[in-house]
Amino acid sequence: MRMHYGHPDFLDGFWARNRGGMSKSSPVVNLSEDIFAGFNVRMRGEASPHIDALEFEKGREATFNAASNFFSKISGGSVAVLRSRDNHLLCERVGVLHSLSFYFTSVAFYMSNLVVDLSIYLYVLLFILFSLAGLGPGQLAALGSTFSMEWIVSMGIVALVPQFCEMVLELGAVPALRELIVGLPSATFFYIFQNKNIASSMKEGAMTGIAR
């Protein structure tokens, strides 16, 4: 049993030791060992039970600094997953649909944050070039370009829909709408910081091979 991030991982020690152990080589620390244990099970054609236990009044990374450290560490671990031999072997043995499922249930969240971070730089650079060329939003709209509208804001609103639906089911329509409006400014700033934190950790992990 290993206690981490507020919840324990239960593994059969005899089973793990007879299959090479759980840890992978890392310059500083072994991360994502539970993910690599799952990879090991899948590659050997075995099965493992997944049991969720709910415990009320159980705290997790609820503070700003704790959440930042958690995302930074997991983002670096996702780089280790991407460059691992286990990931390569698993992707060779599954089809296209299973590959998509595997991607979206493993590192897709961290990769999407990295893509969003890079796209913001590209977005700002393009508007600098448009301004130097004398093309403002009005001229871009006349040309029928989608750059005349703030697509980042619209995509952010689309991302709110699933969360809003969940809040409607839990709280009701009016309390959910009130909660959404009140929390939107702070959530926006937190998401910006979280996005930069994840993207920076992934870029650092890709360059150094170290997850901090």
Side-chain angles (χ1 to χ4, degrees):
M1 181 178 72
R2 181 176 184 271
M3 300 293 294
H4 69 145
Y5 309 137
H7 70 277
D9 284 340
F10 292 93
L11 279 102
D12 187 339
F14 179 80
W15 178 91
R17 283 192 294 270
N18 282 276
R19 287 160 178 80
M22 292 177 56
S23 301
K24 297 294 176 184
S25 298
S26 174
V28 177
V29 66
N30 288 294
L31 288 175
S32 307
E33 74 287 338
D34 47 353
I35 296 177
F36 285 115
F39 287 175
N40 199 3
V41 171
R42 179 66 179 84
M43 287 190 294
R44 294 176 183 276
E46 301 180 14
S48 62
H50 181 85
I51 302 171
D52 281 330
L54 298 178
E55 182 177 345
F56 292 96
E57 298 182 6
K58 171 182 168 183
R60 198 173 170 176
E61 288 77 10
T63 64
F64 197 82
N65 288 334
S68 300
N69 292 333
F70 172 76
F71 278 117
S72 179
K73 187 186 299 182
I74 300 303
S75 301
S78 68
V79 176
V81 170
L82 284 171
R83 65 200 307 179
S84 67
R85 178 175 175 267
D86 307 62
N87 184 66
H88 176 71
L89 293 176
L90 277 173
C91 291
E92 279 187 338
R93 300 178 184 181
V94 296
V96 176
L97 295 179
H98 285 91
S99 295
L100 291 173
S101 175
F102 177 58
Y103 170 70
F104 281 102
T105 55
S106 56
V107 297
F109 173 74
Y110 307 100
M111 284 298 299
S112 63
N113 275 274
L114 178 61
V115 171
V116 167
D117 181 66
L118 297 176
S119 66
I120 290 173
Y121 288 107
L122 179 61
Y123 185 74
V124 173
L125 178 61
L126 283 175
F127 266 93
I128 291 174
L129 295 176
F130 287 147
S131 298
L132 293 176
L135 294 173
Q139 289 85 350
L140 291 173
L143 294 172
S145 172
T146 57
F147 281 104
S148 61
M149 58 184 295
E150 295 293 337
W151 59 270
I152 292 181
V153 175
S154 63
M155 289 302 296
I157 294 174
V158 170
L160 282 175
V161 174
Q163 179 68 25
F164 177 69
C165 293
E166 180 182 352
M167 292 169 64
V168 168
L169 292 174
E170 292 181 356
L171 307 174
V174 176
L177 186 60
R178 188 188 306 119
E179 191 84 13
L180 186 66
I181 294 174
V182 171
L184 186 59
S186 57
T188 301
F189 284 108
F190 179 78
Y191 173 76
I192 293 172
F193 185 84
Q194 173 188 305
N195 174 259
K196 299 296 292 184
N197 185 22
I198 291 175
S200 175
S201 299
M202 288 201 68
K203 286 185 281 190
E204 182 182 359
M207 290 187 293
T208 63
I210 299 174
R212 301 186 186 279

